[in-house]
Amino acid sequence: QVQLVESGGGLVQAGGSLRLSCAASGTMSSINVMGWHRRAPGKQRELLARIWRSGNINYAESVKGRFTISRDSAKNTVYLQMNNLNPGDTGVYYCNAAGADSVSGYDYWGHGTQVTVSS
């Protein structure tokens, strides 16, 4: 089992920045990738950024150049630095950890943290 706790959300004005944190605990040995997803009002949840165990990183086009995902492996924590925020970035941000081993696949989610960007 893996537990994920997000923090760092809040209210920010357009053009501002926030840094989200996702602290993971539990058995991480089968986790291959961790990422950040967003559910905007009235929209489906979308993948924003993910970082693989190898260090490879993927970003959604909508956040490239504005958001940066990083990790501190010693702390089992993944971060999402968000710059130049706009009202379209408003939503609930979820941390995800996924992986597999010879026994099963794994897909864990945090409870989410609200980000609200005012115009």
Side-chain angles (χ1 to χ4, degrees):
Q1 284 286 339
V2 172
Q3 294 77 42
L4 303 172
V5 179
E6 303 100 333
S7 61
L11 174 64
V12 64
Q13 287 188 332
S17 299
L18 283 174
R19 189 176 84 152
L20 306 183
S21 299
C22 172
S25 60
T27 304
M28 298 293 292
S29 57
S30 297
I31 299 302
N32 298 319
V33 60
M34 293 187 67
W36 287 96
H37 299 243
R38 176 176 67 205
R39 187 187 297 277
K43 296 185 179 181
Q44 290 187 333
R45 188 168 57 195
E46 62 172 326
L47 171 66
L48 301 177
R50 59 188 175 186
I51 183 166
W52 296 84
R53 180 181 290 274
S54 65
N56 288 342
I57 289 174
N58 308 117
Y59 292 103
E61 286 297 324
S62 60
V63 304
K64 273 185 182 177
R66 299 190 300 124
F67 290 11
T68 302
I69 190 171
S70 62
R71 69 185 175 199
D72 184 333
S73 298
K75 296 181 179 179
N76 276 342
T77 299
V78 174
Y79 304 97
L80 186 68
Q81 177 67 43
M82 307 186 294
N83 298 328
N84 194 21
L85 287 161
N86 60 67
D89 294 315
T90 294
V92 181
Y93 285 66
Y94 297 92
C95 180
N96 170 254
D101 58 24
S102 60
V103 176
S104 179
Y106 305 97
D107 193 23
Y108 301 102
W109 294 89
H111 291 295
T113 185
Q114 175 71 43
V115 171
T116 302
V117 184
S118 64
S119 57

